[in-house]
Amino acid sequence: MQGPLIDTLARQGVSRRTFLKYCATLASMMALPPAAGLAMAEAMAAARRPSVIWLPFQECTGCTESFTRSHSPTLEGMIFDMISLDYQETLMAAAGHQAEEARHTAMRDNAGKYLLVIDGSIPLDQGGAYSCIGGRSNLDILKEAAEGAAAIIAMGTCAAYGGIPKANPNPTGAVSVSDIVKDKPIVNIPGCPPIPVVMTGVLAHYLTFGSLPELDDKGRPKAFFGETIHDRCYRRPFYDQGKFAKTFDDEGARRGWCLFELGCKGPVTYNACATVKWNGGTSWPVESGHGCLGCSEPDFWDAGGFYKALSLPADPLKFAAAAAVVGTGAGVAIGFANRSKKGGAKSAHETTTLDDLEK
Amino acid sequence: MKLDVIPIHVADQPPGEPGLSGNAPPLLREVAEQVRRLLESGEPSAIDLSALPLTPADLDWLQEKLGAGEIAVTLQASGESTLNETACPGVWWVTHRNEQGVVTSQFIEVAFVPELVKAHPADVAIGLETLELLISDL
Ligand code: SF4
Ligand code: SF4
């Protein structure tokens, strides 16, 4: 199935107009000019699909679920048609040595050209023994796979910033992808889980313009993470008028007032939930009456309690600054072209044995 | 249960026309500029309405000013899209919805015919194959 994307889609009953319409909406979500929708449709329809290797590390598979169980399967599933998915443990039929073989073949045949998608954090304690695939630590596999990658997409908060595995007291010594890989462009798509369309948008941008989209200081695509939840929240007028729900069942809650005092982290959280929404645009957390947890920010799990109001309404930077300090590793600015190559990444594998685990 | 049964009342309506931000009128000038360009060079263009700070009232105002034209196209492609010509020929109001009926994007398109309405040559070729098949069966 290496033909142009449009043929693959046609076989699945997705018409050209459906595809054009989807691209128009995607371009709009990415704040690209309307003409970009058409350009994207044309480029993607004809594109040779890039090889993608998708590695799950210390994760819950929620990120994969977010993509594969989205509401309009044909369209969000399109990300799987836009790429040649050469390795994905959860989705592939092969197992064991065959699967490992498939990965090595893809890495060899597409050296320097494949996209590497990572979900999950990487545990470093005990020599990485907390999470192994085929007897090899995640750290080892990541280093090997990163070497030949054109770019890396860290999907979900765990891969982007360490996420829940890294939460205090971080028993496994979990770190993010960008804590380990320093010599490749990395796009962070945080969220617990991440919004599916962001992944589609990043791939569409890559296929259309041959480059990764513009990123913010935490490595996130600006098109989707350029504004806070609070900036685009429909309850914002109530916040501005000082009308807050005090409990989840009071008069204010029933009237749809702002959830700030119930712990909403919207003012310090950059994500697209308020505009893209969830479940096919049905609703999103604040719309269903619960404050934002801040899941797309580094160390959201340790940010002082989901139901504790942010300390100062007028000073959202406080939380952001604290998060930035803790997450320094994750927040490295991304320089694409002239990163010095990191030398001597180990290519020989060290196999983790049962003994290591019992140390 | 629909979301609109959750009562949200905006108290203390700001003075002036309810809900109008003042961002809509300049858009009309931009549309006029785009129509001029279409006439002079044939170049189509579009304005992404979801990318602009427009309130629902602004959109209503715009839609009312532009009025309804003679052609209304409905496209069924994973959810309904409508491409309606306004009272100003060449100016189209385009709304895309998903399968749940939620508006996913909205544009004002300035073109003789919107791109989405045209049939693509590759698709026409497939149609021709179908026709030839039909004829060979006669
Ligand atoms: S604090 Fe939360 S609920 Fe209130 S306006 Fe901001 S994002 Fe919306
Ligand atoms: S509303 Fe906040 S916590 Fe919920 S998914 Fe969006 S960013 Fe994450």
Side-chain angles (χ1 to χ4, degrees):
Chain A
M1 285 214 313
Q2 272 297 349
L5 174 62
I6 196 74
D7 295 344
T8 318
L9 290 176
R11 273 198 294 277
Q12 296 176 9
V14 176
S15 73
R16 188 181 302 271
R17 287 199 182 94
T18 303
F19 184 57
L20 260 174
K21 167 176 167 175
Y22 184 78
C23 289
T25 303
L26 193 59
S28 164
M29 281 178 185
M30 295 178 74
L32 294 168
L38 195 59
M40 263 162 50
E42 276 168 8
M44 280 200 284
R48 214 192 91 90
R49 299 169 306 153
S51 167
V52 170
I53 295 174
W54 188 319
L55 297 175
F57 291 152
Q58 195 162 245
E59 45 94 36
C60 69
T61 313
C63 297
T64 308
E65 289 286 322
S66 171
F67 288 99
T68 51
R69 311 225 182 261
S70 51
H71 258 222
S72 42
T74 32
L75 281 178
E76 284 309 344
M78 209 149 70
I79 59 162
F80 296 115
D81 298 317
M82 280 156 61
I83 59 180
S84 164
L85 192 56
D86 292 327
Y87 183 91
Q88 216 285 8
E89 280 171 22
T90 315
L91 303 175
M92 71 198 301
H97 294 297
Q98 276 180 338
E100 299 306 291
E101 182 60 35
R103 189 176 78 236
H104 281 116
T105 312
M107 276 172 17
R108 199 176 336 105
D109 293 354
N110 304 291
K113 286 186 297 212
Y114 60 84
L115 287 175
L116 182 62
V117 178
I118 306 287
D119 58 311
S121 63
I122 301 100
L124 295 183
D125 282 4
Q126 304 288 342
Y130 283 106
S131 179
C132 297
I133 300 165
R136 290 175 57 205
S137 71
N138 291 168
L139 177 67
D140 193 19
I141 297 176
L142 172 61
K143 281 184 174 168
E144 180 195 50
E147 194 149 282
I152 303 177
I153 299 175
M155 210 183 63
T157 301
C158 297
Y161 308 129
I164 292 174
K166 185 173 174 252
N168 262 333
N170 192 359
T172 65
V175 298
S176 68
V177 172
S178 53
D179 285 333
I180 294 174
V181 183
K182 305 286 185 195
D183 60 349
K184 295 284 173 181
I186 300 174
V187 181
N188 287 331
I189 306 184
C192 192
I195 297 178
V197 76
V198 181
M199 179 73 157
T200 322
V202 169
L203 284 172
H205 195 283
Y206 184 73
L207 289 176
T208 309
F209 307 110
S211 65
L212 295 168
E214 204 190 335
L215 306 177
D216 73 359
D217 62 340
K218 288 180 186 149
R220 304 173 288 202
K222 274 190 185 163
F224 295 99
F225 294 90
E227 285 170 306
T228 64
I229 297 286
H230 186 63
D231 286 335
R232 302 299 293 266
C233 178
Y234 76 102
R235 296 194 188 214
R236 182 62 183 270
F238 297 118
Y239 174 93
D240 294 338
Q241 293 163 20
K243 289 187 168 141
F244 301 105
K246 310 277 180 193
T247 64
F248 283 106
D249 57 357
D250 68 356
E251 178 65 14
R254 272 191 292 276
R255 289 178 155 240
W257 287 356
C258 168
L259 301 166
F260 182 85
E261 294 193 0
L262 290 170
C264 182
K265 304 292 181 289
V268 293
T269 304
Y270 289 82
N271 205 348
C273 305
T275 43
V276 176
K277 301 192 182 182
W278 284 91
N279 297 330
T282 309
S283 179
W284 62 289
V286 167
E287 193 168 345
S288 49
H290 195 287
C292 165
L293 306 181
C295 75
S296 57
E297 294 295 324
D299 303 306
F300 79 101
W301 204 257
D302 293 320
F306 292 155
Y307 300 100
K308 224 179 119 222
L310 288 167
S311 47
L312 286 171
D315 184 18
L317 289 174
K318 203 176 166 207
F319 169 87
V325 173
V326 186
T328 14
V332 251
I334 308 293
F336 287 170
N338 38 20
R339 275 275 175 80
S340 61
K341 287 267 179 228
K342 199 172 79 178
K346 243 197 313 181
S347 54
H349 324 142
E350 263 169 44
T351 306
T352 310
T353 63
L354 231 124
D355 288 348
D356 295 316
L357 286 167
E358 277 160 6
K359 256 181 215 161
Chain B
M1 193 170 92
K2 282 292 220 190
L3 285 171
D4 43 16
V5 304
I6 301 172
I8 296 175
H9 315 284
V10 181
D12 311 326
Q13 192 75 250
E17 193 87 41
L20 285 179
S21 70
N23 290 339
L27 269 185
L28 280 185
R29 284 180 219 284
E30 187 169 344
V31 172
E33 192 44 53
Q34 295 189 341
V35 173
R36 226 167 272 132
R37 206 176 330 142
L38 179 71
L39 276 178
E40 279 161 19
S41 66
E43 189 193 329
S45 41
I47 296 171
D48 183 352
L49 295 172
S50 1
L52 300 169
L54 297 169
T55 63
D58 289 334
L59 290 174
D60 288 347
W61 183 89
L62 262 178
Q63 216 156 10
E64 196 196 302
K65 288 286 169 215
L66 288 170
E70 293 172 324
I71 298 182
V73 180
T74 312
L75 167 72
Q76 301 292 348
S78 64
E80 191 175 279
S81 296
T82 45
L83 303 97
N84 296 341
E85 197 176 36
T86 65
C88 315
V91 180
W92 303 75
W93 192 284
V94 179
T95 307
H96 295 309
R97 290 179 193 79
N98 67 11
E99 274 130 342
Q100 284 78 42
V102 178
V103 173
T104 53
S105 54
Q106 202 155 203
F107 302 89
I108 292 178
E109 221 176 302
V110 177
F112 293 114
V113 184
E115 202 58 40
L116 259 179
V117 176
K118 294 182 201 159
H120 191 279
D123 291 338
V124 175
I126 295 172
L128 181 58
E129 277 171 30
T130 313
L131 276 171
E132 277 162 356
L133 216 71
L134 285 176
I135 293 166
S136 70
D137 280 350
L138 287 181

